[in-house]
Amino acid sequence: MSEIFRNIPKIQYEGPDSYNPYAFKFYDAERIIMGKPMKEHLRFAMAWWHNLCNAGSDMFGASTGDKSFGQETGTMEHARAKVDAGFEFMDKLGIDYFCFHDADIAPKADTIEETNRRLDEITDYIKEKMEKYNKKLLWGTANLFNEPLYMNGAGSSNSVDVFCHAAAQVKKALDITVKLGGSGYVFWGGREGYETLWNTDMQFEQENIAKLMHMAVDYGRKIGFKGDFYIEPKAKEPMKHQYDFDVATSIGFLRQYGLDKDFKINVEANHATLAGHTFQHELRVAAINRMLGSIDANQGDLLLGWDTDEFPYNVYETTACMYDVLTAGGLKNGGLNFDAKTRRPSYTHEDMFLAFILGMDSFALGLINAARIIEDGRLEEFIRERYSSFETELGKRIRDGKVTLEELAEYCEKEGKPALPGSGRQEYLLSILNQLIIKG
Ligand code: XLS
Ligand code: CA
Ligand code: CA
């Protein structure tokens, strides 16, 4: 097999002063941060769909790029060429993980038998490459949103036959995830939502989604899947309303249907903003519920109302993200999957590498900053202090649930009107953040 990205060298760390576009300025895989090499904190992954399949087409225009890798697209030869390209790409960037949908790795056929045979063939080939290059599968998933038959959703479809088709696809996607030793399996509810409630039975649809997930857990555990299942929340797009709206809604759903032991959350940055939240808000909700599983690392555009899946460059955001990851104790089975695509005019193979260098450096900076914030300790100390009135005898009894409303009302009568709470000092705290992030 010949080299595909011939003019691209292996990307090395050269440090912040390097002018070499094909070098990391901040990502130094083996550098120890808070007791662990960077690469273990970050566990970067390549998303098969954006990196190896998407060539820049959008609803207003055709592809600008070429992801044929020398083969006719839509053939098994092309599927194999994508494997060759993908492993060379990960090797050159030093990325250890990848993620895929079933439909990304092999073209769908007219019958499920033939589709599954193709998936067997291509995963044999992927497995060979994984051993050769020492790469791992972060998570697998089934594409339950592209085919017209999924127009009303998969688990939430009104058609029992479509539901069964989705179940068959999930079964096979789990088979190949387990075959490749994947540590996660994602449910992103592509079209699990609605356009109008005037044709929708919301309760029926949500119960059916939960049924499909329960079957997936039962089957996955039966065939030896030891990793985490994930829900990946997204508020809208393609549906007007999606059931897994945000992290809090998804956790509520998982608890309601008894799925919370097997599932965690895959938090995507751009999906957070679509829900009207910050990325850090979503990470924090997942973390305080012990549900932070994995991350789709990208960035949206706040001026646009859709999912732009950009490579992340906002270091304040990556810092906030890595702060929450570090304080949550790290990602165990999860990682940082670049669910991101180059902009349509950045259409060359070189741009694929430059984009990952940007994303990896941005998260490396985020990690370095987050560790600095933790080691500095001023922000955490401020928060501790801010709640310190609850360390009094009375405060403790409130927290332990040992007081009554009557008792507190009596206390108030005795003490009179409370003084104002201490200043929130937001501006001061943000200046500390600046001081720690931007070492001028
Ligand atoms: C789409 C989602 C999707 C999931 C995997 O918006 O981000 O790509 O990550 O199905
Ligand atoms: Ca995603
Ligand atoms: Ca997205």
Side-chain angles (χ1 to χ4, degrees):
M1 183 214 93
S2 59
E3 198 179 350
I4 294 173
F5 306 107
R6 268 191 227 118
N7 50 348
I8 310 281
K10 268 210 180 195
I11 312 298
Q12 312 282 0
Y13 171 73
E14 289 187 5
D17 296 327
S18 169
Y19 274 36
N20 176 1
Y22 298 103
F24 295 117
K25 319 297 181 295
F26 303 100
Y27 179 61
D28 184 3
E30 302 300 334
R31 176 173 162 189
I32 303 292
I33 304 276
M34 294 184 77
K36 251 187 2 191
M38 270 193 172
K39 65 171 187 201
E40 282 177 32
H41 283 288
L42 297 165
R43 293 164 58 94
F44 288 131
M46 173 193 77
W48 212 270
W49 53 102
H50 281 319
N51 202 46
L52 303 172
C53 308
N54 184 307
S57 61
D58 66 15
M59 56 225 221
F60 299 100
S63 296
T64 51
D66 179 5
K67 300 262 171 96
S68 66
F69 306 114
Q71 299 294 338
E72 190 189 330
T73 55
T75 61
M76 281 303 280
E77 289 70 32
H78 180 225
R80 291 174 85 87
K82 288 197 286 186
V83 178
D84 295 338
F87 280 88
E88 186 187 320
F89 185 84
M90 288 187 272
D91 186 48
K92 286 189 163 166
L93 275 160
I95 288 185
D96 291 336
Y97 299 87
F98 60 97
C99 302
F100 63 70
H101 303 85
D102 49 0
D104 305 332
I105 57 172
K108 266 204 152 188
D110 288 340
T111 65
I112 223 155
E113 293 78 12
E114 174 56 11
T115 301
N116 289 352
R117 195 205 58 74
R118 291 178 184 181
L119 287 169
D120 289 337
E121 183 188 323
I122 205 72
T123 48
D124 283 346
Y125 191 48
I126 291 177
K127 200 162 181 219
E128 243 174 63
K129 293 273 185 173
M130 288 171 75
E131 279 154 21
K132 175 164 173 221
Y133 286 96
N134 192 23
K135 302 294 172 205
K136 296 180 228 48
L137 174 62
L138 189 68
W139 51 259
T141 187
N143 180 326
L144 304 178
F145 44 88
N146 203 55
E147 279 193 277
L149 56 87
Y150 291 128
M151 66 173 77
N152 297 332
S156 63
S157 177
N158 54 311
S159 153
V160 69
D161 286 347
V162 171
F163 184 96
C164 296
H165 194 270
Q169 237 186 288
V170 170
K171 175 176 178 289
K172 188 64 185 176
L174 276 164
D175 285 336
I176 57 179
T177 298
V178 170
K179 172 176 173 183
L180 299 179
S183 53
Y185 184 87
V186 164
F187 279 91
W188 167 59
R191 294 183 196 271
E192 313 291 28
Y194 62 81
E195 295 297 339
T196 171
L197 284 175
W198 293 111
N199 70 7
T200 300
D201 186 334
M202 189 193 269
Q203 187 176 351
F204 183 98
E205 295 199 355
Q206 295 209 6
E207 285 171 2
N208 271 6
I209 295 170
K211 291 270 167 6
L212 182 61
M213 288 180 176
H214 269 293
M215 285 189 260
V217 170
D218 291 346
Y219 181 70
R221 298 307 181 211
K222 191 162 101 189
I223 61 168
F225 177 60
K226 302 229 163 31
D228 290 320
F229 287 89
Y230 304 117
I231 279 190
E232 182 184 320
K234 185 174 182 181
K236 55 189 166 188
E237 195 202 13
M239 300 308 260
K240 171 173 138 176
H241 178 94
Q242 302 203 176
Y243 293 133
D244 304 327
F245 190 88
D246 60 3
V247 174
T249 311
S250 303
I251 292 176
F253 172 87
L254 291 172
R255 288 188 181 146
Q256 183 180 353
Y257 293 105
L259 289 156
D260 50 315
K261 300 282 169 296
D262 294 280
F263 274 76
K264 289 196 165 71
I265 304 290
N266 182 38
V267 179
E268 182 179 311
N270 201 165
H271 297 182
T273 46
L274 289 182
H277 301 307
T278 62
F279 183 23
Q280 193 181 18
H281 168 97
E282 289 293 77
L283 293 163
R284 187 69 58 87
V285 175
I288 64 174
N289 285 285
R290 311 280 171 272
M291 286 267 190
L292 179 55
S294 199
I295 290 175
D296 271 11
N298 60 16
Q299 191 178 310
D301 186 321
L302 292 180
L303 299 184
L304 302 174
W306 62 91
D307 197 20
T308 57
D309 286 347
E310 297 173 34
F311 277 88
Y313 67 87
N314 183 329
V315 174
Y316 279 85
E317 291 284 304
T318 59
T319 300
C321 170
M322 292 315 297
Y323 176 81
D324 269 69
V325 168
L326 288 178
T327 50
L331 300 168
K332 308 247 153 28
N333 286 328
L336 295 176
N337 168 43
F338 286 110
D339 190 356
K341 56 187 176 201
T342 58
R343 298 305 84 195
R344 191 163 178 265
S346 303
Y347 61 90
T348 70
H349 286 175
E350 288 82 356
D351 288 302
M352 294 162 63
F353 286 86
L354 296 170
F356 270 75
I357 292 170
L358 169 69
M360 292 164 80
D361 268 344
S362 300
F363 269 94
L365 269 173
L367 173 64
I368 294 166
N369 290 332
R372 196 181 292 136
I373 291 167
I374 291 169
E375 276 152 15
D376 174 85
R378 277 176 290 170
L379 297 180
E380 282 177 354
E381 179 50 33
F382 183 87
I383 294 176
R384 253 193 308 281
E385 181 55 35
R386 188 157 181 254
Y387 295 90
S388 60
S389 69
F390 277 86
E391 269 147 39
T392 56
E393 167 68 22
L394 175 64
K396 283 201 183 110
R397 286 203 300 126
I398 294 175
R399 304 265 297 149
D400 292 344
K402 297 211 168 105
V403 287
T404 61
L405 275 188
E406 296 95 302
E407 228 181 306
L408 296 186
E410 208 178 289
Y411 172 85
C412 286
E413 277 175 28
K414 213 163 71 206
E415 295 294 317
K417 196 173 174 195
L420 287 179
S423 164
R425 293 269 190 272
Q426 184 165 330
E427 296 74 9
Y428 167 62
L429 298 172
L430 293 176
S431 78
I432 295 181
L433 202 63
N434 266 353
Q435 183 190 26
L436 295 171
I437 291 183
I438 302 163
K439 299 201 304 171

